[in-house]
Amino acid sequence: MSEFKSERPLSPHLTIYRFRPTMAMSILHRITGCALFFGTLLVTWWLVAAASGPDAFATASWFFGSIVGRLILFGYSWALLHHMLGGLRHFVWDTGHGLEKSTSTKLAIATLVGSLGLTALLWLGILIFG
């Protein structure tokens, strides 16, 4: 074996990082992006069922009207709103604003609170008017 020893620093690992809201929102942004992919497959199923005829549409409508279907739609709407607000947060960062630690932390928390609030308002409107 060679006697050569590298003096390069070791790569950082997860145990030395302090968990921050911006890290959580970054992770959630990726998760919601994946969730939107699968949710969009369900939207596609609903649209194809609508084009296929009354029987197929009745089956899709029954599923989305069930408890499981409504929970999936609730999660899909939250993922959509959270991903949208995260995209707006990144857009603000792309303009060079909000990059300070305190501001980025406030934006991360606002993304979560805003997505939860908008989802609650959306579903409150659905329950009242729908």
Side-chain angles (χ1 to χ4, degrees):
M1 236 190 207
S2 172
E3 294 292 322
F4 177 74
K5 187 170 181 168
S6 176
E7 297 297 324
R8 298 184 326 195
L10 295 174
S11 296
H13 46 83
L14 290 176
T15 59
I16 67 169
Y17 287 116
R18 188 168 155 227
F19 194 73
R20 299 198 162 283
T22 51
M23 292 170 66
M25 292 306 103
S26 176
I27 293 165
L28 272 177
H29 191 75
R30 287 168 170 74
I31 291 170
T32 57
C34 292
L36 290 175
F37 169 77
F38 292 107
T40 301
L41 292 177
L42 291 174
V43 171
T44 304
W45 171 47
W46 181 74
L47 290 171
V48 169
S52 297
D55 292 334
F57 186 69
T59 303
S61 293
W62 171 83
F63 175 76
F64 288 117
S66 70
I67 298 288
V68 172
R70 294 238 175 179
L71 284 173
I72 290 171
L73 288 174
F74 182 83
Y76 182 75
S77 61
W78 173 77
L80 183 63
L81 290 167
H82 187 275
H83 201 76
M84 177 194 67
L85 291 178
L88 290 174
R89 180 171 50 101
H90 280 270
F91 181 72
V92 169
W93 287 346
D94 288 344
T95 65
H97 296 86
L99 296 173
E100 301 80 27
K101 272 188 185 179
S102 64
T103 307
S104 65
T105 299
K106 288 176 187 173
L107 283 173
I109 293 169
T111 299
L112 182 60
V113 171
S115 66
L116 291 172
L118 288 172
T119 303
L121 283 174
L122 173 69
W123 280 86
L124 185 63
I126 290 171
L127 292 174
I128 291 173
F129 301 110

